[in-house]
Amino acid sequence: MTQLQKPKFVYMGGKLRSWDQAMIHVGCEAVTRGLIVFEGIKGYWQPDGRFGIVRLRHHYERLQRSARLLQIPFDHSYEEYKRAIYDLFGELLGPDRDIWARTTLYVIEGHWGENTLADLVVTAYHVDKQMPPAINLGVSTWQRSPDVSLPARIKTSTNYQVARLARIEGRAQDCQDMILLNQWGRVAEATGACVLIVRDEVVYTPTAAEGALESITLDIVEALAHSLDIKFVRRPIDRTELLIADEIAICGTLAEVTLVKSMEGLPLQKEPSMLRALQNRYLQAVRGIEPHPFVELSNVPNKSEGHG
């Protein structure tokens, strides 16, 4: 996981600024109503020395969808979006560390949907190169909100309030993450990642209709599973299936593919061979060690190259 950091630069107001200059007004709707949509993106050093960002255009398109659903204006082209990220990464890249970045639309002007203006802000944080450690997972008493209340397919900070409460609940149980159930008592997702379970040599994951984010990382994992001849099925998952699953993992941009060693205090029944294979294949693909056509990488240009 990323640690709290204070990078030298942030992209805001159409240009790079120092971290301490990145401010919004306390009275804006991003603060008073949490009116924000965002994307988390991850970049990795490649064997040839380039730095590749995973499926950048897909993150841009999902940000567009989130903004549309919350009726936040987003008039940046993909080229402008990409240039903002490249500019910031160009200043912050360092050897031997990957980067996770948050591209956020903050509503800086407007009132109850009238005269709404938003600003694109990009912050980026260094992440050590390491295999995600296996975690203890629990089930939260807090619940995923339904699609008619606060849709999970909107990647907004307000959707993570329940995740924060679930994480606090989980710490008392020595759980590093928690699963949120939906209004029908079935599995939606973890607090910041999608859920994978294995039963009888098949990988299952909930559909978006169950309250899971339409995950870019999950799409990658599914494509890699097909390449490995691993059967991958999206369907509803009951809570009790978590307790009898052979293997469990969570997956997301920051979580990558993180294996689970216990579920609600019960050790998993089998060694996570199938999900470990997917974990290894995922890291090989995003790091360019064994490329995969589904894992599109946008390479950050050297300063001398420009943006093209």
Side-chain angles (χ1 to χ4, degrees):
M1 300 292 287
T2 56
Q3 301 297 314
L4 290 176
Q5 299 173 24
K6 185 178 178 180
K8 189 174 181 181
F9 293 105
V10 60
Y11 180 93
M12 187 177 189
K15 63 181 181 180
L16 293 183
R17 302 171 185 267
S18 71
W19 180 269
D20 292 333
Q21 290 178 322
M23 294 179 287
I24 58 176
H25 197 276
V26 69
C28 72
E29 286 204 313
V31 176
T32 58
R33 273 178 273 280
L35 201 52
I36 294 167
V37 291
F38 74 98
E39 283 295 314
I41 63 174
K42 186 88 182 277
Y44 298 84
W45 285 109
Q46 305 295 299
D48 61 3
R50 293 184 297 174
F51 191 85
I53 303 172
V54 178
R55 289 178 72 82
L56 184 58
R57 181 177 287 276
H58 296 269
H59 282 284
Y60 169 79
E61 292 171 351
R62 190 170 66 181
L63 185 64
Q64 280 186 316
R65 295 194 296 270
S66 292
R68 178 180 175 84
L69 287 169
L70 277 185
Q71 300 194 40
I72 298 173
F74 181 35
D75 55 6
H76 292 76
S77 69
Y78 174 64
E79 290 303 316
E80 290 172 322
Y81 179 81
K82 182 172 66 173
R83 187 178 304 113
I85 295 165
Y86 283 179
D87 284 349
L88 184 61
F89 278 34
E91 294 294 334
L92 297 181
L93 282 176
D96 301 323
R97 300 183 81 192
D98 298 321
I99 285 186
W100 178 84
R102 179 182 170 113
T103 62
T104 308
L105 286 180
Y106 288 90
V107 174
I108 56 173
E109 291 187 26
H111 183 70
W112 290 99
E114 295 183 349
N115 304 314
T116 303
L117 293 177
D119 186 26
L120 174 65
V121 177
V122 186
T123 53
Y125 310 91
H126 292 102
V127 183
D128 291 330
K129 295 181 181 180
Q130 59 184 14
M131 186 78 75
I135 63 171
N136 301 317
L137 192 60
V139 177
S140 178
T141 58
W142 297 96
Q143 193 176 86
R144 163 64 73 211
S145 60
D147 189 69
V148 293
S149 177
L150 186 58
R153 62 172 42 87
I154 303 177
K155 196 166 177 64
T156 174
S157 295
T158 45
N159 254 330
Y160 288 81
Q161 295 292 352
V162 67
R164 176 179 176 272
L165 292 172
R167 287 275 185 104
I168 292 170
E169 180 183 33
R171 288 189 199 113
Q173 304 171 27
D174 192 30
C175 290
Q176 288 75 51
D177 207 339
M178 299 288 279
I179 286 178
L180 301 171
L181 303 180
N182 59 28
Q183 67 265 42
W184 304 291
R186 297 192 294 264
V187 175
E189 61 181 359
T191 61
C194 291
V195 177
L196 307 167
I197 72 167
V198 174
R199 294 194 64 193
D200 300 324
E201 299 187 351
V202 179
V203 178
Y204 297 103
T205 191
T207 67
E210 294 293 303
L213 178 71
E214 294 182 334
S215 169
I216 293 168
T217 306
L218 185 64
D219 291 344
I220 293 174
V221 171
E222 182 177 24
L224 296 175
H226 292 324
S227 298
L228 295 172
D229 293 324
I230 295 173
K231 190 172 182 181
F232 191 101
V233 177
R234 301 191 189 219
R235 65 155 173 83
I237 294 176
D238 291 323
R239 175 176 179 168
T240 51
E241 289 189 272
L242 298 171
L243 298 174
I244 58 175
D246 298 323
E247 306 176 28
I248 303 176
I250 60 174
C251 71
T253 298
L254 191 54
E256 298 170 327
V257 179
T258 298
L259 304 178
V260 173
K261 58 185 177 181
S262 74
M263 183 71 237
E264 294 199 287
L266 294 175
L268 270 292
Q269 299 186 91
K270 295 183 179 180
E271 285 295 312
S273 57
M274 292 180 68
L275 294 180
R276 180 171 283 118
L278 281 173
Q279 180 189 59
N280 290 332
R281 185 66 186 90
Y282 179 85
L283 292 173
Q284 289 173 339
V286 297
R287 295 191 185 284
I289 298 168
E290 187 179 347
H292 189 281
F294 196 81
V295 183
E296 301 164 13
L297 296 172
S298 300
N299 292 307
V300 178
N302 295 325
K303 291 184 179 181
S304 60
E305 295 177 343
H307 296 309

